[in-house]
Amino acid sequence: MESSRKDPTKAPSQIGDRSTSDVVVRLRTQEGRDDWFYCHSHVLTEKSKYFADRLSEDWPTCQILDSRNCVEVYCQESEFDHHVSALRLLYVNNESLPDTWYGVRNALGILRVAIQLGCQHMAHACVDYLEAVPWEEAEEEEILRIIPGLGSLAEQILARLRPVDPIAVVGIFLSAIRFATSSPPPSMNELKSSAQEQLEYMLTEDDDAPLLTADDGIKSEVRKCVSSLLTRFCKELESMLCGSTESESKEGETRVLQSLLLDLAWACQILVKLEMMKDFVHNWVEMSDKILKAIEGAGPSANMLETKLRVIEVTAKVLEAIGYGTVIIPTARRLHMVKVWLPFVRRTRPLLDRVGCDGEDWLPFKMDSELWQSMESAFVSIVLALPSGDQAQILADWLSGENALYPDLTEAFEVWCYRSKIAKRRMAFLVGGRNGVTKG
């Protein structure tokens, strides 16, 4: 058709120029919207395979009256504006297509239309933009829905979405664990906290599998980093036991100690996920007397109260590992842990509760009821796993005076009473069975 040939001597065609238009694009929606756009066949056929096919002599309805002068395009109401934008962009020189595309969502909408209409250059430009800018999660999900229709264009975008090479994941993990267990300047504390959060997320099994599976090399590095943390913690304890006389020095030591305790509590989370709590538990058991001597010997202050809470947070992780059988230690050591830490938490909780009730806004720490519940459950489990005579001694002490307030060992007491009452019958049956005696 002669009118479809572009005359280079004429001014560039403009969409909506009815005087030069030789084809109408009728954009319609199921909701009843119906807009007409006066276009030019040479523009449409040059840049859109869809229009090239519709305006071709080979199109089945080409001989029907007005079929070559009017092309209907149906779309959803939500896609209408994107279709209009795409039609207008067909009139823009390829070199002049926008760089910004007015945001990711707009680019996605136009990309969908470009794919539908077979506008390859426009689709390429949209993909180039999308590949180069950040996405929100909802936008990323939309991109994933569009990708099947992109063909070879998808490769650019898929590079950002494909699973990372396992070697790269391990490299990130090792760098992060070293930084997360270091002592950077205070200005980098937020970055350190972020590293700790992401390390925990990498190892968490939720809707998806953990990002990596720890092999011997990874576990060795984690063990080394946590050992370094414990070593620095021990040095701070030794410094406290030396009894520095300068108050400013004491405050600095306390802040460092609190930071290390926070790191150790976080490290326990990582060790639990990696099933590596054994060494940490044994070290904490060995250090328990020294830890209590250092913090109990310090004068009473809000800072020391916070330090005690941080110690309790780490100890709760250790007691959980012991109480639930994650780490097995000898009976004597389990009994020692109860005798050392039970009186301490019994004395400390009322102090922390009292401060919490005072409503002091300046306090840098908050009480966590789950912490106390977790520690109480751990104590019950450990007590119930001790010899009955040791249980009796612990329970008798618990029932005296105000000691019954916390932790609540009622469950342990009830089980002990039941076991003690039926012990003779049980043991008689056991002894009888060993002697080959049976009862009729």
Side-chain angles (χ1 to χ4, degrees):
M1 145 170 98
E2 291 298 324
S3 60
S4 67
R5 295 177 183 175
K6 184 177 180 181
D7 186 349
T9 65
K10 294 183 178 181
S13 301
Q14 300 291 327
I15 187 172
D17 186 350
R18 190 168 183 174
S19 64
T20 60
S21 169
D22 62 346
V23 62
V24 171
V25 175
R26 189 177 180 185
L27 194 56
R28 308 179 70 177
T29 70
Q30 293 179 345
E31 290 77 11
R33 193 167 181 178
D34 185 355
D35 282 10
W36 292 30
F37 298 86
Y38 292 93
C39 301
H40 303 78
S41 58
H42 70 270
V43 174
L44 300 182
T45 57
E46 178 187 350
K47 296 185 178 181
S48 165
K49 185 178 183 305
Y50 174 80
F51 286 118
D53 290 341
R54 288 296 304 269
L55 297 172
S56 168
E57 297 284 350
D58 298 329
W59 191 257
T61 59
C62 67
Q63 302 304 323
I64 299 176
L65 183 64
D66 292 335
S67 67
R68 297 179 61 196
N69 296 326
C70 180
V71 179
E72 292 187 344
V73 178
Y74 289 88
C75 68
Q76 300 292 327
E77 182 68 30
S78 60
E79 299 175 345
F80 189 90
D81 290 341
H82 297 310
H83 277 74
V84 174
S85 296
L87 285 176
R88 296 187 184 283
L89 288 170
L90 291 176
Y91 282 79
V92 175
N93 291 332
N94 290 340
E95 296 77 14
S96 302
L97 287 172
D99 290 329
T100 63
W101 290 95
Y102 305 103
V104 173
R105 291 188 180 278
N106 192 60
L108 284 172
I110 294 175
L111 176 58
R112 283 194 298 269
V113 178
I115 295 170
Q116 176 186 341
L117 299 181
C119 307
Q120 288 298 311
H121 193 87
M122 191 185 303
H124 273 284
C126 287
V127 169
D128 288 343
Y129 169 78
L130 292 170
E131 187 273 333
V133 299
W135 309 326
E136 295 179 359
E137 186 173 355
E139 295 166 346
E140 192 163 307
E141 293 295 331
E142 182 64 22
I143 288 171
L144 287 170
R145 284 192 288 270
I146 292 174
I147 276 180
L150 291 180
S152 61
L153 288 175
E155 291 303 314
Q156 286 178 261
I157 295 178
L158 285 176
R160 285 171 62 174
L161 298 171
R162 285 195 178 97
V164 182
D165 182 82
I167 296 176
V169 174
V170 171
I172 286 286
F173 182 88
L174 294 179
S175 295
I177 193 71
R178 291 171 191 139
F179 181 70
T181 53
S182 66
S183 297
S187 60
M188 301 181 72
N189 282 345
E190 288 189 12
L191 177 58
K192 179 179 175 180
S193 296
S194 176
Q196 291 179 345
E197 289 176 7
Q198 295 311 309
L199 282 165
E200 201 168 341
Y201 175 73
M202 290 171 73
L203 295 172
T204 298
E205 182 173 2
D206 39 34
D207 292 338
D208 300 298
L211 193 53
L212 82 166
T213 301
D215 56 18
D216 290 341
I218 293 174
K219 289 185 177 182
S220 176
E221 187 64 28
V222 171
R223 190 175 292 109
K224 178 181 175 181
C225 290
V226 175
S227 177
S228 175
L229 263 180
L230 281 169
T231 299
R232 300 202 304 274
F233 177 68
C234 285
K235 287 182 179 179
E236 291 301 321
L237 285 180
E238 294 290 348
S239 179
M240 287 186 67
L241 289 169
C242 289
S244 173
T245 55
E246 297 181 7
S247 59
E248 185 175 341
S249 175
K250 284 184 178 180
E251 290 180 4
E253 289 175 355
T254 301
R255 285 194 295 270
V256 172
L257 194 66
Q258 290 170 0
S259 177
L260 288 169
L261 285 165
L262 285 169
D263 288 344
L264 288 171
W266 166 80
C268 286
Q269 299 291 101
I270 300 299
L271 294 174
V272 168
K273 291 180 183 295
L274 296 177
E275 299 181 351
M276 292 176 57
M277 275 293 284
K278 182 177 180 180
D279 290 343
F280 188 92
V281 167
H282 282 283
N283 282 318
W284 198 259
V285 171
E286 293 296 327
M287 296 165 55
S288 290
D289 289 325
K290 182 185 290 186
I291 294 169
L292 285 184
K293 183 178 180 182
I295 62 175
E296 293 279 58
S301 67
N303 277 337
M304 281 313 303
L305 199 57
E306 181 181 0
T307 303
K308 291 179 180 180
L309 175 61
R310 302 307 173 201
V311 168
I312 288 175
E313 288 174 343
V314 180
T315 304
K317 304 294 183 185
V318 173
L319 292 175
E320 284 176 15
I322 297 171
Y324 304 137
T326 304
V327 177
I328 305 301
I329 63 175
T331 301
R333 306 305 287 160
R334 283 181 277 128
L335 179 60
H336 178 72
M337 286 294 285
V338 174
K339 289 185 175 181
V340 168
W341 290 106
L342 190 60
F344 174 73
V345 298
R346 185 179 288 158
R347 292 191 302 271
T348 306
R349 179 168 184 179
L351 298 176
L352 292 167
D353 286 344
R354 191 178 308 127
V355 171
C357 290
D358 290 342
E360 298 287 354
D361 294 334
W362 58 269
L363 289 174
F365 56 91
K366 295 181 180 179
M367 312 311 304
D368 185 355
S369 59
E370 291 185 6
L371 168 68
W372 300 116
Q373 183 60 48
S374 173
M375 179 166 278
E376 183 174 88
S377 298
F379 273 126
V380 170
S381 296
I382 295 174
V383 169
L384 286 174
L386 292 172
S388 56
D390 293 326
Q391 292 184 44
Q393 182 181 355
I394 293 168
L395 292 170
D397 179 65
W398 168 67
L399 290 167
S400 62
E402 297 180 353
N403 291 340
L405 292 177
Y406 183 85
D408 185 356
L409 301 181
T410 301
E411 181 183 349
F413 181 42
E414 292 173 351
V415 173
W416 179 87
C417 287
Y418 173 75
R419 285 177 177 172
S420 298
K421 186 172 183 180
I422 67 171
K424 289 184 178 180
R425 173 163 50 86
R426 274 183 170 175
M427 295 305 292
F429 176 81
L430 180 61
V431 172
R434 286 177 177 173
N435 293 332
V437 177
T438 58
K439 296 183 179 180

